[in-house]
Amino acid sequence: MEGEEGTGETETTESGLISDWAELTHECLINILSRLTLEHRWRGAMLVCKPWLNACKDPTLHTVFDLETRFDSSNDSTRWWTPEFERKIDSMLRSVISWSNGNLTEILTRHCSDLSLNFAAQMCPNLRVLSIKSCPHVTDASMAQIAHHCRNLKQLDISYCYEISHESLQLIGQKCTNLTVLKRNLMNWLDPSQHVGIVPHDYLDACPQDGDTEAAAIGKFMPQLEHLEIRFSKLSAKGLGSICEGCLKLEYLDLSGCANLTSRDIINATSNLKELKELKKPNYYIPRSVFHTERYGHWRLYDERFQTDVFRI
């Protein structure tokens, strides 16, 4: 079925009975299609015949938009950063939003833009999970719309979205008071070679520098957080202190790659987190060449680093 357009014509089965797949009741079709992945519906079922296409647009099939598993399993990451690919993701997301009739509660994708997220904010008031990693054209503008219209948001992943600033973190925290999970991871700026040839150079250079400002917004406006990931953030001991003072319900904290923190900083800041169950420390290896650059010369002063392994995203 996948990738081929059907006609819906009758066929004779081994038992001699005649079946017409196009004549299945709508309820029966929904039951069948609900067992397929989003990708299989788009690449297969929607192409069978008009009744199947209409069934694929049923709102009950569009409470979740999840492309994350597809991204995780694909090796074709070089084309993800192109305008053409972004337009395809936007188009697909906007279609699902329209078909959902307001029932969409989870969006997990990458490389969308403000265009589709503004639409999501207007049409998906029940949104609870938003994961939009690696979106170079998602900005504070669409995040403001999400904050104002999606007050039930509980989980937010804006990792590698460098056009989103601390202003969005503040607004999301103020408006979405039930937020318990935040993932604000940055790319590995300690060893960016793993991104070369995939991520545009100018985007790598745009890595946010205001770690403490973001940390202050998190600590002040997100007191309900239980799970926080800020891998490769450039926050200092002051920023970590702000988080730990304001987010006393934290159970999981990932500080991997946070090069400006020492072991003492982490111990001092997290000592008051009574609910903390798992803490990932800055376990990384600093290449020898780094010590000869003026930009990272201050690392020579730090003898409390966790330089035990090469950190890989």
mmCIF file of all heavy atoms in Angstrom, residues 260-293:
data_model
loop_
_atom_site.group_PDB
_atom_site.id
_atom_site.type_symbol
_atom_site.label_atom_id
_atom_site.label_comp_id
_atom_site.label_asym_id
_atom_site.label_seq_id
_atom_site.Cartn_x
_atom_site.Cartn_y
_atom_site.Cartn_z
ATOM 1 N N ASN A 260 31.467 26.660 32.334
ATOM 2 C CA ASN A 260 31.783 27.717 33.294
ATOM 3 C C ASN A 260 31.495 27.330 34.740
ATOM 4 O O ASN A 260 31.615 28.157 35.638
ATOM 5 C CB ASN A 260 31.011 28.990 32.947
ATOM 6 C CG ASN A 260 31.455 29.583 31.623
ATOM 7 O OD1 ASN A 260 32.629 29.509 31.269
ATOM 8 N ND2 ASN A 260 30.525 30.144 30.876
ATOM 9 N N LEU A 261 31.111 26.075 34.973
ATOM 10 C CA LEU A 261 30.785 25.616 36.311
ATOM 11 C C LEU A 261 31.875 24.688 36.845
ATOM 12 O O LEU A 261 32.397 23.842 36.117
ATOM 13 C CB LEU A 261 29.446 24.866 36.310
ATOM 14 C CG LEU A 261 28.205 25.658 35.894
ATOM 15 C CD1 LEU A 261 27.003 24.733 35.844
ATOM 16 C CD2 LEU A 261 27.952 26.821 36.850
ATOM 17 N N THR A 262 32.196 24.832 38.109
ATOM 18 C CA THR A 262 33.123 23.913 38.767
ATOM 19 C C THR A 262 32.318 22.958 39.639
ATOM 20 O O THR A 262 31.130 23.169 39.907
ATOM 21 C CB THR A 262 34.119 24.680 39.657
ATOM 22 O OG1 THR A 262 33.408 25.260 40.753
ATOM 23 C CG2 THR A 262 34.821 25.770 38.866
ATOM 24 N N SER A 263 32.981 21.928 40.111
ATOM 25 C CA SER A 263 32.297 20.979 40.986
ATOM 26 C C SER A 263 31.800 21.663 42.252
ATOM 27 O O SER A 263 30.721 21.368 42.765
ATOM 28 C CB SER A 263 33.247 19.834 41.342
ATOM 29 O OG SER A 263 34.423 20.337 41.972
ATOM 30 N N ARG A 264 32.600 22.598 42.759
ATOM 31 C CA ARG A 264 32.202 23.319 43.963
ATOM 32 C C ARG A 264 30.961 24.168 43.711
ATOM 33 O O ARG A 264 30.063 24.244 44.558
ATOM 34 C CB ARG A 264 33.349 24.195 44.453
ATOM 35 C CG ARG A 264 33.066 24.919 45.780
ATOM 36 C CD ARG A 264 34.304 25.664 46.233
ATOM 37 N NE ARG A 264 35.431 24.753 46.391
ATOM 38 C CZ ARG A 264 36.701 25.147 46.508
ATOM 39 N NH1 ARG A 264 36.989 26.438 46.479
ATOM 40 N NH2 ARG A 264 37.668 24.256 46.655
ATOM 41 N N ASP A 265 30.901 24.819 42.536
ATOM 42 C CA ASP A 265 29.718 25.614 42.181
ATOM 43 C C ASP A 265 28.460 24.752 42.231
ATOM 44 O O ASP A 265 27.420 25.169 42.756
ATOM 45 C CB ASP A 265 29.854 26.184 40.767
ATOM 46 C CG ASP A 265 30.978 27.198 40.640
ATOM 47 O OD1 ASP A 265 31.334 27.829 41.661
ATOM 48 O OD2 ASP A 265 31.499 27.356 39.517
ATOM 49 N N ILE A 266 28.568 23.566 41.655
ATOM 50 C CA ILE A 266 27.409 22.684 41.549
ATOM 51 C C ILE A 266 26.976 22.171 42.917
ATOM 52 O O ILE A 266 25.784 22.145 43.250
ATOM 53 C CB ILE A 266 27.719 21.512 40.592
ATOM 54 C CG1 ILE A 266 27.949 22.056 39.174
ATOM 55 C CG2 ILE A 266 26.581 20.499 40.588
ATOM 56 C CD1 ILE A 266 28.468 21.032 38.196
ATOM 57 N N ILE A 267 27.933 21.771 43.730
ATOM 58 C CA ILE A 267 27.608 21.278 45.073
ATOM 59 C C ILE A 267 26.931 22.365 45.903
ATOM 60 O O ILE A 267 25.914 22.138 46.565
ATOM 61 C CB ILE A 267 28.885 20.783 45.782
ATOM 62 C CG1 ILE A 267 29.409 19.519 45.097
ATOM 63 C CG2 ILE A 267 28.607 20.514 47.253
ATOM 64 C CD1 ILE A 267 30.759 19.065 45.604
ATOM 65 N N ASN A 268 27.489 23.560 45.851
ATOM 66 C CA ASN A 268 26.932 24.661 46.640
ATOM 67 C C ASN A 268 25.517 25.021 46.192
ATOM 68 O O ASN A 268 24.630 25.261 47.021
ATOM 69 C CB ASN A 268 27.831 25.897 46.536
ATOM 70 C CG ASN A 268 29.153 25.714 47.258
ATOM 71 O OD1 ASN A 268 29.281 24.856 48.143
ATOM 72 N ND2 ASN A 268 30.154 26.514 46.889
ATOM 73 N N ALA A 269 25.315 25.076 44.879
ATOM 74 C CA ALA A 269 24.021 25.523 44.356
ATOM 75 C C ALA A 269 22.921 24.492 44.548
ATOM 76 O O ALA A 269 21.768 24.835 44.840
ATOM 77 C CB ALA A 269 24.146 25.883 42.880
ATOM 78 N N THR A 270 23.248 23.214 44.372
ATOM 79 C CA THR A 270 22.217 22.165 44.397
ATOM 80 C C THR A 270 21.951 21.609 45.794
ATOM 81 O O THR A 270 21.072 20.754 45.956
ATOM 82 C CB THR A 270 22.612 21.002 43.464
ATOM 83 O OG1 THR A 270 23.869 20.447 43.891
ATOM 84 C CG2 THR A 270 22.736 21.484 42.029
ATOM 85 N N SER A 271 22.660 22.084 46.773
ATOM 86 C CA SER A 271 22.528 21.520 48.119
ATOM 87 C C SER A 271 21.125 21.697 48.705
ATOM 88 O O SER A 271 20.705 20.938 49.581
ATOM 89 C CB SER A 271 23.557 22.160 49.066
ATOM 90 O OG SER A 271 23.359 23.569 49.157
ATOM 91 N N ASN A 272 20.389 22.705 48.219
ATOM 92 C CA ASN A 272 19.049 22.955 48.751
ATOM 93 C C ASN A 272 17.947 22.300 47.921
ATOM 94 O O ASN A 272 16.762 22.495 48.200
ATOM 95 C CB ASN A 272 18.781 24.460 48.844
ATOM 96 C CG ASN A 272 18.750 25.127 47.480
ATOM 97 O OD1 ASN A 272 19.453 24.688 46.572
ATOM 98 N ND2 ASN A 272 17.960 26.180 47.336
ATOM 99 N N LEU A 273 18.330 21.520 46.903
ATOM 100 C CA LEU A 273 17.326 20.840 46.073
ATOM 101 C C LEU A 273 17.000 19.489 46.700
ATOM 102 O O LEU A 273 17.583 18.459 46.349
ATOM 103 C CB LEU A 273 17.842 20.672 44.635
ATOM 104 C CG LEU A 273 18.103 21.964 43.860
ATOM 105 C CD1 LEU A 273 18.628 21.651 42.459
ATOM 106 C CD2 LEU A 273 16.831 22.826 43.773
ATOM 107 N N LYS A 274 16.061 19.476 47.601
ATOM 108 C CA LYS A 274 15.735 18.276 48.368
ATOM 109 C C LYS A 274 15.067 17.195 47.529
ATOM 110 O O LYS A 274 15.110 16.014 47.886
ATOM 111 C CB LYS A 274 14.828 18.650 49.550
ATOM 112 C CG LYS A 274 15.380 19.771 50.441
ATOM 113 C CD LYS A 274 16.774 19.452 50.961
ATOM 114 C CE LYS A 274 17.298 20.565 51.863
ATOM 115 N NZ LYS A 274 18.685 20.322 52.319
ATOM 116 N N GLU A 275 14.439 17.577 46.412
ATOM 117 C CA GLU A 275 13.740 16.611 45.567
ATOM 118 C C GLU A 275 14.617 16.048 44.453
ATOM 119 O O GLU A 275 14.193 15.175 43.708
ATOM 120 C CB GLU A 275 12.498 17.259 44.951
ATOM 121 C CG GLU A 275 11.540 17.882 45.955
ATOM 122 C CD GLU A 275 10.937 16.840 46.883
ATOM 123 O OE1 GLU A 275 10.700 15.708 46.410
ATOM 124 O OE2 GLU A 275 10.728 17.153 48.070
ATOM 125 N N LEU A 276 15.850 16.557 44.323
ATOM 126 C CA LEU A 276 16.721 16.179 43.211
ATOM 127 C C LEU A 276 17.078 14.691 43.269
ATOM 128 O O LEU A 276 17.623 14.209 44.261
ATOM 129 C CB LEU A 276 17.996 17.016 43.237
ATOM 130 C CG LEU A 276 18.873 16.952 41.976
ATOM 131 C CD1 LEU A 276 18.117 17.482 40.768
ATOM 132 C CD2 LEU A 276 20.166 17.746 42.182
ATOM 133 N N LYS A 277 16.771 13.979 42.173
ATOM 134 C CA LYS A 277 17.043 12.553 42.092
ATOM 135 C C LYS A 277 18.179 12.221 41.129
ATOM 136 O O LYS A 277 18.877 11.226 41.300
ATOM 137 C CB LYS A 277 15.766 11.809 41.655
ATOM 138 C CG LYS A 277 14.608 11.956 42.625
ATOM 139 C CD LYS A 277 13.353 11.298 42.091
ATOM 140 C CE LYS A 277 12.183 11.481 43.050
ATOM 141 N NZ LYS A 277 10.926 10.894 42.512
ATOM 142 N N GLU A 278 18.345 13.042 40.103
ATOM 143 C CA GLU A 278 19.400 12.778 39.113
ATOM 144 C C GLU A 278 20.044 14.086 38.674
ATOM 145 O O GLU A 278 19.349 15.025 38.293
ATOM 146 C CB GLU A 278 18.842 12.041 37.901
ATOM 147 C CG GLU A 278 19.912 11.607 36.913
ATOM 148 C CD GLU A 278 19.402 10.689 35.822
ATOM 149 O OE1 GLU A 278 18.199 10.338 35.861
ATOM 150 O OE2 GLU A 278 20.199 10.329 34.921
ATOM 151 N N LEU A 279 21.366 14.124 38.743
ATOM 152 C CA LEU A 279 22.139 15.305 38.355
ATOM 153 C C LEU A 279 23.236 14.893 37.392
ATOM 154 O O LEU A 279 24.072 14.049 37.715
ATOM 155 C CB LEU A 279 22.754 15.956 39.592
ATOM 156 C CG LEU A 279 23.768 17.081 39.354
ATOM 157 C CD1 LEU A 279 23.102 18.269 38.669
ATOM 158 C CD2 LEU A 279 24.419 17.502 40.665
ATOM 159 N N LYS A 280 23.220 15.462 36.204
ATOM 160 C CA LYS A 280 24.266 15.192 35.217
ATOM 161 C C LYS A 280 25.243 16.363 35.230
ATOM 162 O O LYS A 280 24.873 17.479 34.895
ATOM 163 C CB LYS A 280 23.659 14.980 33.826
ATOM 164 C CG LYS A 280 22.853 13.699 33.700
ATOM 165 C CD LYS A 280 22.400 13.461 32.271
ATOM 166 C CE LYS A 280 21.646 12.143 32.138
ATOM 167 N NZ LYS A 280 22.503 10.986 32.417
ATOM 168 N N LYS A 281 26.494 16.080 35.590
ATOM 169 C CA LYS A 281 27.499 17.122 35.729
ATOM 170 C C LYS A 281 28.224 17.361 34.402
ATOM 171 O O LYS A 281 28.118 16.560 33.473
ATOM 172 C CB LYS A 281 28.487 16.733 36.826
ATOM 173 C CG LYS A 281 27.835 16.596 38.188
ATOM 174 C CD LYS A 281 28.847 16.190 39.248
ATOM 175 C CE LYS A 281 28.184 16.055 40.616
ATOM 176 N NZ LYS A 281 29.169 15.656 41.661
ATOM 177 N N PRO A 282 28.988 18.468 34.313
ATOM 178 C CA PRO A 282 29.715 18.801 33.066
ATOM 179 C C PRO A 282 30.846 17.832 32.783
ATOM 180 O O PRO A 282 32.009 18.116 33.020
ATOM 181 C CB PRO A 282 30.257 20.206 33.339
ATOM 182 C CG PRO A 282 29.447 20.726 34.462
ATOM 183 C CD PRO A 282 29.093 19.541 35.295
ATOM 184 N N ASN A 283 30.504 16.660 32.296
ATOM 185 C CA ASN A 283 31.474 15.610 32.016
ATOM 186 C C ASN A 283 31.928 15.732 30.565
ATOM 187 O O ASN A 283 31.239 15.331 29.643
ATOM 188 C CB ASN A 283 30.828 14.245 32.246
ATOM 189 C CG ASN A 283 31.803 13.112 32.033
ATOM 190 O OD1 ASN A 283 33.008 13.309 32.126
ATOM 191 N ND2 ASN A 283 31.285 11.940 31.733
ATOM 192 N N TYR A 284 33.080 16.312 30.336
ATOM 193 C CA TYR A 284 33.547 16.551 28.979
ATOM 194 C C TYR A 284 35.067 16.577 28.952
ATOM 195 O O TYR A 284 35.748 16.633 29.977
ATOM 196 C CB TYR A 284 33.011 17.879 28.427
ATOM 197 C CG TYR A 284 33.373 19.059 29.299
ATOM 198 C CD1 TYR A 284 34.602 19.702 29.161
ATOM 199 C CD2 TYR A 284 32.498 19.506 30.272
ATOM 200 C CE1 TYR A 284 34.944 20.763 29.984
ATOM 201 C CE2 TYR A 284 32.839 20.566 31.099
ATOM 202 C CZ TYR A 284 34.059 21.181 30.949
ATOM 203 O OH TYR A 284 34.403 22.218 31.756
ATOM 204 N N TYR A 285 35.567 16.581 27.730
ATOM 205 C CA TYR A 285 37.006 16.674 27.513
ATOM 206 C C TYR A 285 37.285 17.945 26.734
ATOM 207 O O TYR A 285 36.649 18.210 25.719
ATOM 208 C CB TYR A 285 37.507 15.473 26.720
ATOM 209 C CG TYR A 285 38.910 15.635 26.172
ATOM 210 C CD1 TYR A 285 40.019 15.511 27.003
ATOM 211 C CD2 TYR A 285 39.118 15.931 24.827
ATOM 212 C CE1 TYR A 285 41.298 15.668 26.504
ATOM 213 C CE2 TYR A 285 40.385 16.092 24.320
ATOM 214 C CZ TYR A 285 41.485 15.959 25.159
ATOM 215 O OH TYR A 285 42.752 16.112 24.673
ATOM 216 N N ILE A 286 38.203 18.773 27.210
ATOM 217 C CA ILE A 286 38.562 20.003 26.512
ATOM 218 C C ILE A 286 39.769 19.728 25.624
ATOM 219 O O ILE A 286 40.842 19.382 26.124
ATOM 220 C CB ILE A 286 38.912 21.128 27.504
ATOM 221 C CG1 ILE A 286 37.722 21.387 28.437
ATOM 222 C CG2 ILE A 286 39.279 22.400 26.771
ATOM 223 C CD1 ILE A 286 38.025 22.383 29.528
ATOM 224 N N PRO A 287 39.634 19.823 24.299
ATOM 225 C CA PRO A 287 40.763 19.567 23.402
ATOM 226 C C PRO A 287 41.971 20.418 23.778
ATOM 227 O O PRO A 287 41.842 21.574 24.167
ATOM 228 C CB PRO A 287 40.210 19.953 22.023
ATOM 229 C CG PRO A 287 38.725 19.841 22.169
ATOM 230 C CD PRO A 287 38.427 20.241 23.574
ATOM 231 N N ARG A 288 43.169 19.833 23.644
ATOM 232 C CA ARG A 288 44.394 20.531 24.015
ATOM 233 C C ARG A 288 44.537 21.841 23.261
ATOM 234 O O ARG A 288 45.026 22.845 23.801
ATOM 235 C CB ARG A 288 45.595 19.632 23.740
ATOM 236 C CG ARG A 288 46.933 20.246 24.175
ATOM 237 C CD ARG A 288 48.060 19.253 23.972
ATOM 238 N NE ARG A 288 47.863 18.069 24.773
ATOM 239 C CZ ARG A 288 48.285 17.960 26.035
ATOM 240 N NH1 ARG A 288 48.876 18.981 26.625
ATOM 241 N NH2 ARG A 288 48.089 16.845 26.705
ATOM 242 N N SER A 289 44.097 21.860 21.998
ATOM 243 C CA SER A 289 44.247 23.072 21.191
ATOM 244 C C SER A 289 43.491 24.246 21.776
ATOM 245 O O SER A 289 43.837 25.406 21.570
ATOM 246 C CB SER A 289 43.759 22.808 19.761
ATOM 247 O OG SER A 289 42.396 22.425 19.779
ATOM 248 N N VAL A 290 42.427 23.946 22.526
ATOM 249 C CA VAL A 290 41.610 25.000 23.104
ATOM 250 C C VAL A 290 42.421 25.864 24.065
ATOM 251 O O VAL A 290 42.227 27.066 24.177
ATOM 252 C CB VAL A 290 40.393 24.384 23.829
ATOM 253 C CG1 VAL A 290 39.719 25.416 24.726
ATOM 254 C CG2 VAL A 290 39.393 23.855 22.827
ATOM 255 N N PHE A 291 43.359 25.267 24.764
ATOM 256 C CA PHE A 291 44.118 25.994 25.760
ATOM 257 C C PHE A 291 45.040 27.043 25.146
ATOM 258 O O PHE A 291 45.564 27.899 25.829
ATOM 259 C CB PHE A 291 44.965 25.019 26.591
ATOM 260 C CG PHE A 291 44.138 24.192 27.521
ATOM 261 C CD1 PHE A 291 43.720 22.920 27.166
ATOM 262 C CD2 PHE A 291 43.738 24.698 28.753
ATOM 263 C CE1 PHE A 291 42.950 22.164 28.026
ATOM 264 C CE2 PHE A 291 42.970 23.948 29.622
ATOM 265 C CZ PHE A 291 42.573 22.665 29.257
ATOM 266 N N HIS A 292 45.226 26.980 23.827
ATOM 267 C CA HIS A 292 46.114 27.926 23.169
ATOM 268 C C HIS A 292 45.353 29.063 22.509
ATOM 269 O O HIS A 292 45.942 29.875 21.808
ATOM 270 C CB HIS A 292 46.963 27.194 22.117
ATOM 271 C CG HIS A 292 47.798 26.094 22.704
ATOM 272 N ND1 HIS A 292 48.862 26.338 23.539
ATOM 273 C CD2 HIS A 292 47.702 24.750 22.593
ATOM 274 C CE1 HIS A 292 49.415 25.192 23.919
ATOM 275 N NE2 HIS A 292 48.720 24.212 23.360
ATOM 276 N N THR A 293 44.053 29.102 22.751
ATOM 277 C CA THR A 293 43.259 30.166 22.142
ATOM 278 C C THR A 293 42.925 31.199 23.192
ATOM 279 O O THR A 293 42.641 30.880 24.350
ATOM 280 C CB THR A 293 41.952 29.602 21.541
ATOM 281 O OG1 THR A 293 41.166 29.066 22.599
ATOM 282 C CG2 THR A 293 42.240 28.530 20.517
#
